Structure formats: C-alpha cells, structure tokens
Amino acid sequence: MSWLHFFILLPLLFAIIIPILYKKIPKIHTGWFVVIVPLSIFVYLLTFVPMIAGGETAMYTLPWIPGFNIDVSFYVDGLGLVFGLIISGIGTLVVLYSIYYLSKWREALHNFYVYLMLFMTAMLGVVFSNNLIVLYLFWELTSISSFLLIAYWYARRQSRYGAQKAMLITIFGGFAMLAAIIMLGIMGDTFSIRELFAQGDQLVQHELFIPAMILLLIGAFTKSAQFPFHIWLPDAMEAPTPISAYLHSATMVKAGIYVVARFTPFFGGTMEWFWLVTGVGLLTLLWGSLLAVKQRDLKALLAFSTVSQLGFIMSLLGMGSAALYYGEGELAHLHAMAVLAAVFHLVNHATFKGSLFMVVGIVDHETGTRDTRKLGGLLSIMPISFTLALIGSLSMAGLPPFNGFLSKELFFTGTLNASSLDIFRMETYGFLIPVIAWVASVFTFIYSIILVFKTFFGKYQPERLEKEAHEAPWGMLVPPAILALLVVMIFFLPNVLSDYILEPMVASILPALAGQFDFHIEAWHGFEPELFMTIGIVVVGTILYLTLRKWMGLYNNLPRALTITNAYNSGLRGMESISRKITDAHMTGFSRDYLRYIFVIFVLIVGTHLFMMDAFSFETANVANINLFEIILSLVLIGATAMVVITRSRLAAVICVGVLGYVVALFFVVLRAPDLALTQLAIETVTVALFLVCFYHLPRLRKKEDGDGFNIPNFIIASAVGILVTLVALSANGHRIFPPISDFYLDAYELAGAANMVNAILADFRALDTLLEIFVLCIAGLGVYTLVKVRLARGEKNENQ
Amino acid sequence: MEILMSVLVGILFTAGTYLVLAKSLLRIVLGTSILGHGALLLLLTMGGIKTGAPPLLGLESTTYTDPLPQALILTAIVINFGTLGVFLVIAYRSYQELGTDDMEELRGTEDE
C-alpha cells in the first residue's frame, strides 16, 4: 500500500462519509467538503511531474489475488500521469462549479457526490492500473458510475433512457474488452501490461493477436463514442451539466483514447491497427462535426463536437502509430509528430470543452433554456460568460491565439505526413486523410461560431426565456475562467507544457523513441500548407455560416429512419419482440408439450448417441429359455396394457392396471423373486384400492369427442420411447463386461446371519437405502395427510360459507 | 427370455408414455403406474434371468438368482407406491379445488 494507492482510493473512501456529512451538517453545501479530495489528489500527482519529466517511471504493487497473477499495481508514466492530472484537476473545478450549480435545498447532493467520487476512483484506477484485470474492474466501475450520474434526475424519462443507452453500449464494449484482456492473458501468460509489452515482438505472430486487437478496439471505441457507437453520448447530456463537463467531455470519454494510446506500443506498427484507428477516428471526426452543426440544443451541439474531437484525437493516434513501423530514425520522428498532436489536443480539448460545458451550464442556469432558437443577445447581460465562451469556441475552431490553433496545425501536419506514407497501401488512399480532416475542420469552425453567435449575439428575447437572464455568481464563473486561462496560457507557453507533460506522454506511447526527441511547438512556422489550410477553413467556414439558412434544409432530407439511433432503438425493440416470440412459441403452459419435448429430446440424445457409437448389438448366446407359462403371462400383460390405453371406462382402466400389477407379481414368481412377488401383490392391492377410493371422486375418463382420442404424434413419440428402451435393454444385455458382485452375498449367512439374501441386503448390507426409503414413505404419508386435511385460506372461506 | 422381457418392457414404456401425454389427469396417473412397472421389469431383466434357485441359502442349491437387483426393485416398489399415493391425492385435491382434470385447462396462473 503506497501513497499512490491511498490517493487513488481516497475518493472511494470519502464516498462512505459523504452521506453522513450531508445529514449531519446540512448548513454547509456538501460540495465544500468534497472539493478537498480531488484537490489533494491533484497536488499529490503534481509531485510526480519532475520525476516523469526526467524520463523516469514508477510502479507500486499491492498483491490482491497472487494465485491468478492479479495484483493492484499502479504504474506512473507520462500517459497515466497526465490523465490523472486532468481527472483530478478538472474534477476539482467541476466540484467547485457544482457547488453553485446544484441547489443545496432541492437536490439529493449526497447521491451526486457519492457517484462522482466513485467515478473519480474508477477513472484514476483505469489510467494508473498496470494489471489488465484491475484495469477492467475500474473500467466497468466508470460505466456504472456514469450510468448512475446520467440518471441522476431519475424521475425524467429521458434521463433513464440516456442512462440505459449509455450503459448498454459501454458495457457491451466492456465485455469485448474483457475478452481481449483474456486473450492477451493467454498470449503473454501475464496480465501485467509492462510484462506483456516486453514480449510484444514475439506476440505479433500469435493467432490471437488480431482478434484481441479488434475486441480491444471495440471496447475503446464504445467508451470514447467513436462511430457508430457515438449515439450514447448525445443522450447522456440529460445528466447535470457538471457531469457532462466532467465525464462526457474531459475524462470518461477519453478512457478509450487512453486505452488506444496505452496499447499503441503493443499493437501499433501493424497495418490493421493503423487503418482501424485512423479510419474510425476520421469517420467519427467528420460525422460528429456534420451532425453538430444541425443541433439546436447547446449541450447536444457540444456532445457531437466532443464526438468529433475524440475522433480527431483517435485518428491522430492511428497516424502516429506509423512511427512504430519505422521504429527509429527520421521517418519515425516525423510520424511521432502525430502522436504529439494527439496528446496535445487531448489536453487542449479537456480545457476548452470543460469550460464550454460549464458556460453552457451557466446559460442554462441563468436563462432556463439551452435552445439556440430561444437564446440570443446575452452579450451585454452576461459579458464574462461570453468571454469564456468565445475563448473556448475559438480554441475549438482552431484559431489563434488559443491552444486549439496549435494542436490543429499539428493535426494538419500529421495528416499531410500520413498521406505521404508509402506503407499500408497509403499510396492509394492517403490523399483522403487531409481532405476529410479539412472538411471536418470547416464544420468544426461553423458549429463553434454557431455556439457563440446564436447565444450571445442577435436579439435578446426575454419573453421566450423562463427566467430573467443575469450574470452567474462568481463561484460558477471561476472554474471555467481557470480553464479559459489555461487555454490562452498554453497558446503562449506551449513548450513548457511540451517539456514537462507532452514529451513523457509521447515517450510512453512510442517507447522506442523515448529520450530521442525534443519537440518544439511554434505558433508561427512560416507559410506552410498547414497555414493555408487554416486560412481556407476560416474563409470557407465564414461563407458557409453566413449562408447557413440556405443549406440547413439539407439536413432535413436525411431520413430519420436511416439514423443510427433509430437502428439502435428498433434493434432493441426487435430483440425484445423476437425473444418474446421465441419464448411464447415454446413455453405454451401445457404440461403435455413440455413432456413431449422431454421425451423427444431423450429419444434423440440417447438414440443418436447409441447410433453414433455403433452400440446397437444383440447377443443371443446367453439368453434363458422361454416356457409356455411365460408366454401366457406375457400375452396377459400385453392385453391388460392395451386395455388400459384403449378403454374409456375408468373402472375398466383401474382393473386393468390391477391385472397388470398382478401379472408383474407373477413374473416375479416365475423369475424366482419370492420377496418381490409378496410385496408386489400387497402393494398392488393397496394401490388398486387407493385408485378406486380416489376415482370415485374423479370425473370420467375423457370421451373421444372431448379431443382425447387417438393422438398420432403422441403415439409416435411413445412408440419411439418404447422401441428405444427395448433396444437399449437388448444391447445392454449382450454387453456384460464384469461378472456381478453377487457372489459376495452367498456368504450372507456367515456375514449377517441371514439365509434370505435379499432381506440381508435390505437390512444389513445396504440398510441405508432402506432407512431412506422409510423416510420416503413417511413423507408421502404426511404429504397425503396434509393435502387432505390442510385447507388454505380460500378453501376455508368456501367451507365456512 | 431376455428378448421377450425387453419387448414387454418396451410395450409397457410405450403405453406409459402414451398415457402420460394424455389430456386427462387420471390417465397420466395410470401412465406413471405403468411406467413404474416397466422400470421394475427392466431392472429385473438387466440383472440377468438365468435360471437358478430363489436367493434363499437354505435351499442347498449351487446357483442362485442374483439377489442385488431384487433388493433394488423392492426399494423401488415401495418408493413407487409412496409417490403414486401422493400423486393420486394431488389429483384428487386439484379436481376438488379446481373442478377439472383436463390438463389443457390446468394451465398457467394469474400471477404469471
């Protein structure tokens, strides 16, 4: 147990006392206590920065299940640390923001902060875990706590729908990832990421390499809302805004990015990884940016923009993985720029998207709506919020002097480098990458502008707002202001960030290049193609924004039925109705049908098994002779049996069953079993008497008209059962492998003092059977007594009446 | 003899199965009884029915019939009787309470 363990588990431990604080100290907003937790984690994690910047890493292990190679080992390197800093840093700001956002009086704050703390531990666990099983554990905990947070206002139908959707999709991905983890465990015979990566070179040839890669990517794509799994993210916007800002822009949706980045040293450098990650990333980037433009709800717009930006980062990680193909050298360095752009944008996105969500939350909180059609003209009323929104949006659009500009320039550099690749069949399709990236960036520009202009410019429409708009309290403005300050600071001082944060991150994604690079991020790098691309974006984007009304209608031409959400909904409904149909089809409620299944399956399994094993063989050498007496008995037996089946009189049926029983007793006599014959005679008599007593109260046997006549399917099934039993009996008879052990009982007199061997067995050698058989009789007797005597409430009432 | 017995057992099983699949609860009870008889005879046959003296040591015979299957059958008869008794009473009670012995009507509950 190290300090790192303590700080990662601190939110979890703190979650236990949150409800107590909420109940005992109702005067102080619970958030004030909670804010200490992420802040202390942030400060603690900052102490690692010098060590990480120096190129060192640290590992802390706590054994958990050593027998299965599972231990809670936390590994600190550039990648994990930056994620940890983002989680705890933005976590602090979000808690601070939520103190002002959520009312102390109206909201169930204890639930909120407990879920939030659960999530924080889960997320920290994901990014620091070195053990894959532990990683998966925390991974699912993020899904669960996210589910709880989305449905925080559980009385709303949309919240529940969004939570369920997010749960189903991310858990689906989680299971895929678990499968991948198990495959990796099989491949490398270890669950430790470090040990696995050490064997990376040998495992590329393993047959499970590609399946594990695909399953792992499904897990990462579902969590990071990549196409076509992005559909849960817009619906997750039903969560309170602090949650949207924290989980669905800065942290949880980046868990998939983290996993892709973490496994790049292992899977990267192969064509499949390059194309899957880059392709899905670019598709998500384009699709998200196209759809974001059409949204009228500010949070939905931000949700699609998050989807799009996550695709941006993902595609860069894919492009950067080409560096691993080259290993070392100039080309590797060239493509490592893409990885730098990815991690750089990851940090940038966390800052500006977090602040944008908070600003939207402020607008929502102070006006009562997030609908762009109702908003407008808030510029003079909420000047600080406007400034923050402008900084965030322009950074998102990729304009100077904000950090988004730098990472977007690097992105274009990455795409241009990638398009000039001559591996992985890039010479054919490579030119597409910068084109898609550029188009998506134009749309990114448009929706960023929409966000600011539709909200803060135009006409103020107080009559359409639920509240009179006014500026937010300072407590709500400080967290986004800090993030906005970071946005600007990173632009002016990118290399400080680069030296301390980004280079260790790139080093952990591309370990082969560790210590060999010295990136220098420049805002101005001359008249390069990237600059012209940015100018093009601004020009085309402005033109398109001004003509927005003219082409907005194009979106309506897209049929609703073709959307992915529609496919998801109808798929879910379809699965429900199909499973309902399947169940209804075979679960009829008739015991006769179930008995048919049982008999048919019995015949099929036993019959086909014997047939396949070629076990039907008949041995006639050892059979005993038949005498006339036995033939007569057999005929009577057959006759009586037939009568039971055929007769429509219950008395005849009972008598025939009695005859049957007595014939069986006679068979026992013939086959030299005197005890059996005695018992059988006595019991048969009692049974027939019982039948007669009972049948007096029962209705007649069914008549033919009642539909219980000769039934062909039943007869076929019954015949099959009978024939099969006969065949099994005959086959078994010929295959007596060992002599019976009954010679032992010949000594019954010496051993047990009994001349009757059967009785000696029953009462001496195998007396336990007899004891339990007595119990059976006792229980049966008690059962009969209870059934007859005890009447349930309903019966009693009837009797009293 | 074993072949004859095997065929008889087969017939008993056919009849028992056919009755168990019937609609009337009564026939099902009768069917289980017949299936029980079939099982008893099957046990006895499988034990081997080579002629020998009954398993009583006082008879001074050289070969005896195998006593072990007989002991098993004796246990089976008694248990068979116990379950049949309970089954009959359940049939009787359900007819009394529910007013039918038609298996098609005895289907499902309101709580489903």
Side-chain angles (χ1 to χ4, degrees), chain A residues 603-625:
Chain A
V603 169
L604 285 180
I605 289 179
V606 178
T608 43
H609 178 73
L610 287 177
F611 185 74
M612 304 273 279
M613 304 294 285
D614 207 17
F616 293 117
S617 62
F618 309 115
E619 189 77 39
T620 48
N622 287 337
V623 296
N625 296 324

Side-chain angles (χ1 to χ4, degrees), chain A residues 397 399 440-450 537-538 541-542 545:
Chain A
L399 296 182
S441 299
V442 170
F443 280 90
T444 306
F445 180 83
I446 298 169
Y447 70 67
S448 304
I449 298 300
I450 288 176
I537 288 169
V538 175
T542 312
Y545 175 72

Side-chain angles (χ1 to χ4, degrees), chain A residues 375-688:
Chain A
L375 292 166
L378 297 176
L379 176 58
S380 55
I381 302 163
M382 304 168 75
I384 304 174
S385 307
F386 164 72
T387 315
L388 299 175
L390 190 72
I391 293 171
S393 300
L394 294 185
S395 179
M396 183 159 74
L399 296 182
F402 306 109
N403 59 7
F405 172 72
L406 301 176
S407 46
K408 179 145 293 187
E409 296 284 290
L410 281 172
F411 174 51
F412 287 143
T413 314
T415 56
L416 291 170
N417 288 341
S419 68
S420 62
L421 273 174
D422 53 358
I423 51 168
F424 306 149
R425 300 204 198 104
M426 280 295 288
E427 55 275 14
T428 330
Y429 306 106
F431 74 95
L432 277 172
I433 293 180
V435 174
I436 294 174
W438 188 79
V439 172
S441 299
V442 170
F443 280 90
T444 306
F445 180 83
I446 298 169
Y447 70 67
S448 304
I449 298 300
I450 288 176
L451 179 72
V452 178
F453 277 65
K454 297 263 180 191
T455 315
F456 294 100
F457 289 90
K459 215 171 83 209
Y460 178 50
Q461 304 159 300
E463 71 283 354
R464 302 184 71 173
L465 300 180
E466 287 169 29
K467 297 177 189 169
E468 201 179 333
H470 57 82
E471 189 56 275
W474 70 268
M476 265 173 120
L477 289 169
V478 164
I482 292 172
L483 289 173
L485 195 66
L486 276 174
V487 167
V488 181
M489 267 172 54
I490 291 174
F491 176 79
F492 288 108
L493 300 165
N495 291 308
V496 176
L497 184 82
S498 168
D499 288 345
Y500 281 96
I501 299 283
L502 301 181
E503 280 178 18
M505 266 180 112
V506 176
S508 41
I509 298 172
L510 304 172
L513 291 173
Q516 294 182 21
F517 40 62
D518 185 22
F519 294 120
H520 197 66
I521 301 168
E522 288 170 280
W524 176 257
H525 40 67
F527 291 100
E528 295 290 324
E530 294 88 331
L531 185 68
F532 294 114
M533 284 168 91
T534 304
I535 293 170
I537 288 169
V538 175
V539 173
V540 178
T542 312
I543 295 169
L544 282 175
Y545 175 72
L546 294 174
T547 54
L548 195 61
R549 276 169 198 283
K550 299 205 173 91
W551 53 272
M552 203 57 179
L554 282 176
Y555 278 111
N556 301 333
N557 293 338
L558 183 77
R560 275 187 79 82
L562 284 180
T563 57
I564 298 166
T565 296
N566 191 63
Y568 163 85
N569 285 337
S570 54
L572 215 56
R573 273 199 302 274
M575 280 201 291
E576 267 173 34
S577 73
I578 288 171
S579 60
R580 171 118 215 135
K581 269 178 202 148
I582 292 172
T583 312
D584 283 350
H586 74 280
M587 302 302 283
T588 55
F590 294 122
S591 64
R592 175 193 257 186
D593 288 331
Y594 304 145
L595 284 168
R596 277 181 186 160
Y597 303 150
I598 293 170
F599 286 126
V600 168
I601 287 168
F602 162 72
V603 169
L604 285 180
I605 289 179
V606 178
T608 43
H609 178 73
L610 287 177
F611 185 74
M612 304 273 279
M613 304 294 285
D614 207 17
F616 293 117
S617 62
F618 309 115
E619 189 77 39
T620 48
N622 287 337
V623 296
N625 296 324
I626 309 171
N627 58 32
L628 184 66
F629 191 55
E630 288 154 356
I631 292 175
I632 294 169
L633 276 182
S634 307
L635 289 176
V636 175
L637 187 89
I638 294 167
T641 312
M643 270 301 282
V644 181
V645 178
I646 294 164
T647 185
R648 312 230 150 257
S649 147
R650 58 182 175 177
L651 196 64
V654 170
I655 289 171
C656 287
V657 168
V659 170
L660 198 68
Y662 291 130
V663 173
V664 170
L666 286 177
F667 264 113
F668 289 150
V669 173
V670 172
L671 298 174
R672 296 175 173 77
D675 298 291
L676 294 190
L678 266 175
T679 318
Q680 177 68 15
L681 276 175
I683 290 222
E684 200 55 40
T685 312
V686 179
T687 309
V688 170

Side-chain angles (χ1 to χ4, degrees), chain A residues 126-446:
Chain A
V126 166
V127 298
F128 285 115
S129 285
N130 181 51
N131 190 289
L132 284 168
I133 299 290
V134 176
L135 176 83
Y136 174 73
L137 186 86
F138 285 118
W139 181 274
E140 290 298 28
L141 191 58
T142 64
S143 297
I144 292 166
S145 49
S146 160
F147 167 79
L148 291 168
L149 283 165
I150 296 170
Y152 175 66
W153 288 309
Y154 52 81
R156 296 185 191 170
R157 208 180 66 81
Q158 275 301 316
S159 293
R160 298 197 302 271
Y161 171 77
Q164 186 206 37
K165 195 174 183 179
M167 182 84 163
L168 286 176
I169 294 177
T170 54
I171 295 282
F172 162 75
F175 283 154
M177 210 173 84
L178 179 62
I181 286 170
I182 293 168
M183 284 180 185
L184 288 170
I186 293 169
M187 282 160 69
D189 198 27
T190 174
F191 285 120
S192 161
I193 295 177
R194 294 298 110 204
E195 290 172 27
L196 207 60
F197 285 6
Q199 327 171 20
D201 295 339
Q202 296 111 53
L203 296 179
V204 180
Q205 303 300 330
H206 200 284
E207 56 182 351
L208 288 176
F209 187 79
I210 297 293
M213 177 199 289
I214 291 168
L215 287 169
L216 190 87
L217 282 178
I218 288 175
F221 288 165
T222 51
K223 200 73 158 191
S224 278
Q226 299 293 299
F227 188 89
F229 305 115
H230 65 273
I231 51 172
W232 66 267
L233 190 60
D235 283 304
M237 290 302 130
E238 295 298 325
T241 304
I243 295 312
S244 309
Y246 187 41
L247 273 68
H248 306 127
S249 73
T251 54
M252 190 180 91
V253 286
K254 296 215 172 90
I257 303 270
Y258 167 79
V259 165
V260 169
R262 178 55 89 206
F263 279 90
T264 297
F266 188 71
F267 290 119
T270 56
M271 190 171 88
E272 294 83 359
W273 179 264
F274 178 88
W275 273 111
L276 275 171
V277 178
T278 312
V280 171
L282 284 173
L283 189 59
T284 313
L285 167 64
L286 184 64
W287 189 254
S289 66
L290 286 177
L291 284 183
V293 174
K294 131 188 192 191
Q295 304 304 321
R296 301 217 163 92
D297 179 356
L298 287 176
K299 269 177 98 174
L301 186 149
L302 286 179
F304 278 106
S305 98
T306 304
V307 169
S308 166
Q309 305 276 321
L310 291 169
F312 178 118
I313 301 170
M314 197 65 94
S315 66
L316 278 170
L317 282 174
M319 291 181 235
S321 73
L324 283 159
Y325 179 84
Y326 295 109
E328 288 180 34
E330 204 170 317
L331 277 170
H333 278 273
L334 191 65
H335 295 292
M337 286 305 275
V339 174
L340 176 74
V343 295
F344 190 28
H345 195 69
L346 185 109
V347 175
N348 293 347
H349 178 252
T351 56
F352 67 70
K353 191 54 66 69
S355 87
L356 279 176
F357 264 109
M358 291 180 190
V359 170
V360 166
I362 290 170
V363 170
D364 186 16
H365 204 263
E366 306 308 335
T367 63
T369 183
R370 302 192 304 252
D371 194 326
T372 50
R373 286 165 299 185
K374 294 181 185 168
L375 292 166
L378 297 176
L379 176 58
S380 55
I381 302 163
M382 304 168 75
I384 304 174
S385 307
F386 164 72
T387 315
L388 299 175
L390 190 72
I391 293 171
S393 300
L394 294 185
S395 179
M396 183 159 74
L399 296 182
F402 306 109
N403 59 7
F405 172 72
L406 301 176
S407 46
K408 179 145 293 187
E409 296 284 290
L410 281 172
F411 174 51
F412 287 143
T413 314
T415 56
L416 291 170
N417 288 341
S419 68
S420 62
L421 273 174
D422 53 358
I423 51 168
F424 306 149
R425 300 204 198 104
M426 280 295 288
E427 55 275 14
T428 330
Y429 306 106
F431 74 95
L432 277 172
I433 293 180
V435 174
I436 294 174
W438 188 79
V439 172
S441 299
V442 170
F443 280 90
T444 306
F445 180 83
I446 298 169

Side-chain angles (χ1 to χ4, degrees), chain A residues 588-592 595-596 599 620 623-626 630 634 637-638 641 644-645 647-648 653 657 660-661 667-668 671-676 679-680 683-684 686-687 690-691 694-695 697-699 701-702 706-711 714-715 718-719 721-722 725-726 729-730 732-733 736 740 742 745-746 748-749 754-758 761-762 766 773 777 780 784 787-788 791 794, chain B residues 1-15 17-24 26-30 33-35 37 40-42 44-58 64-75 77-79 81-86 88-93 95-98 100-108:
Chain A
T588 55
F590 294 122
S591 64
R592 175 193 257 186
L595 284 168
R596 277 181 186 160
F599 286 126
T620 48
V623 296
N625 296 324
I626 309 171
E630 288 154 356
S634 307
L637 187 89
I638 294 167
T641 312
V644 181
V645 178
T647 185
R648 312 230 150 257
V657 168
L660 198 68
F667 264 113
F668 289 150
L671 298 174
R672 296 175 173 77
D675 298 291
L676 294 190
T679 318
Q680 177 68 15
I683 290 222
E684 200 55 40
V686 179
T687 309
L690 202 62
F691 269 123
C694 242
F695 280 24
H697 298 279
L698 289 180
L701 287 180
R702 295 263 141 185
D706 294 337
D708 209 14
F710 183 65
N711 189 317
N714 287 355
F715 183 71
S719 310
V721 171
V725 170
T726 305
L730 289 174
N733 200 34
R736 196 148 294 161
S742 297
Y745 300 113
L746 289 175
Y749 194 78
N756 184 332
M757 285 191 261
V758 174
I761 290 171
L762 285 173
R766 301 178 58 89
E773 170 197 338
L777 264 193
V784 168
L787 278 168
V788 174
R791 296 284 194 267
R794 189 168 62 91
Chain B
M1 186 66 199
E2 278 89 346
I3 297 169
L4 177 69
M5 290 300 282
S6 298
V7 173
L8 283 183
V9 167
I11 289 168
L12 285 177
F13 266 88
T14 308
T17 310
Y18 184 76
L19 286 174
V20 164
L21 290 171
K23 260 205 244 174
S24 154
L26 254 161
R27 279 170 173 263
I28 295 176
V29 180
L30 294 173
S33 175
I34 292 178
L35 279 176
H37 289 315
L40 299 182
L41 287 184
L42 183 62
L44 196 67
T45 315
M46 291 296 99
I49 37 181
K50 263 183 246 158
T51 344
L56 301 170
L57 287 169
Y64 293 99
T65 315
D66 194 340
L68 196 56
Q70 298 195 9
L72 294 181
I73 292 167
L74 202 64
T75 313
I77 291 173
V78 176
I79 292 176
F81 170 71
T83 50
L84 192 70
V86 175
L88 257 178
V89 175
I90 289 176
Y92 158 69
R93 286 286 294 134
Y95 178 66
Q96 247 191 351
E97 291 283 324
L98 305 167
T100 179
D101 75 327
D102 186 342
M103 291 308 287
E104 307 236 316
E105 289 173 32
L106 294 170
R107 175 191 172 210

